[in-house]
Amino acid sequence: MATALITGASSGLGYEFAKLFARDHHNLVLVARSGDKLAQVAAELRAQNVTVKTIALDLTATPTPKFLFDQLQSESVAVDILINNAGFGAFGEFAQMSNDEIFGQIQLNIIALTELTRLFLPLMLARRSGRIMNVASTAGFQPGPLMAVYYATKAYVISFSEALANEVRNSGVTVTCFCPGATHTGFAKRAGNDKSRVFKQLGAMNVERVALDGYRAVMEGRGLAISGVHNWLVAQSTRFAPRKMVTAISRWISEPIQ
Ligand SMILES: NC(=O)c1ccc[n+]([C@@H]2O[C@H](COP(=O)([O-])OP(=O)(O)OC[C@H]3O[C@@H](n4cnc5c(N)ncnc54)[C@H](OP(=O)(O)O)[C@@H]3O)[C@@H](O)[C@H]2O)c1
């Protein structure tokens, strides 16, 4: 049985990915900060006759990704599928944002994701088999006033993942970049943008639906997958519209409404 390592598996999309991998008989390594929530998820998924290992870690605390890698190596757990899903956003003007929020986003969304990829990819290449899915966002296709750092981190994830997918082509390993749009999870509340136009008025997608799109994308080895036709259309339109207009619209959808 193949083993999937999923970061941010205690809730939201990561939890849904875990359920899908368990359904299809994958052993799991689940990572997040909340050990109690991970234990609950593990108990639920073990009922499907898969092995579930939980590791409670804050991935923003260096050198956590290396610690995670070393622990799995010492237990001879080979990771066949890496799902770099853990991520968070913070709402507000950059100048007013705390250093914890600014650098925490960069640390989790960019550095931890890059480090885990750096650690696990060479082993996959040596085995000529493996799958990596990096969870970006439709936010990565344009600048995002009021969430400037978050949008920029997701632009990095898209660029990095598409470049890697090209580098590893024909190697037996695939790299998928998955881009959800607004989705009903704990994300908006943590980000502080649950009152934004995009979440309150334009509407967010169902988390199970979105996770299924991501699961299919990684299992098919697709390079880039955007969940939802409307999100795909918006992502395409940003390529042709003037940048200033794209940025203004991006701000408009992030603004809070009553
Ligand atoms: N929901 C959306 O609208 C949306 C849209 C586009 C993209 N995304 C992306 O989808 C991914 C999953 O987000 P979600 O919507 O499922 O949000 P979520 O419900 O808030 O889940 C985030 C997960 O990441 C874990 N996590 C957060 N900080 C962590 C840290 N420092 N170390 C380790 N784990 C950490 C959380 O668990 P603990 O709190 O237990 O650590 C949780 O399991 C993120 O990369 C997000 O950027 C979400």
Side-chain angles (χ1 to χ4, degrees), residues 7-17 31-38 55-61 64 84-89 104 107-109 112-113 134-139 150 153-154 157 178-191 193 198-199 204-205 207 210:
T7 67
S10 63
S11 65
L13 282 165
Y15 168 59
E16 297 299 330
F17 289 138
V31 179
R33 290 167 303 175
S34 328
D36 50 343
K37 282 199 211 159
L38 284 178
I55 306 182
L57 283 176
D58 182 347
L59 286 166
T60 63
T64 302
N84 277 313
N85 165 74
F88 82 100
Q107 194 70 42
L108 185 61
N109 303 359
L113 173 145
N134 292 332
V135 179
S137 167
T138 51
Y150 178 70
T153 63
K154 294 302 184 175
V157 176
F178 180 52
C179 299
T183 307
H184 286 296
T185 66
F187 173 87
K189 197 146 199 285
R190 180 171 185 202
N193 75 336
V198 62
F199 275 97
M205 285 178 72
V207 66
V210 175

Side-chain angles (χ1 to χ4, degrees), residues 162-185:
E162 286 192 291
L164 272 195
N166 175 281
E167 287 184 11
V168 304
R169 70 191 189 284
N170 307 324
S171 70
V173 179
T174 56
V175 176
T176 297
C177 182
F178 180 52
C179 299
T183 307
H184 286 296
T185 66

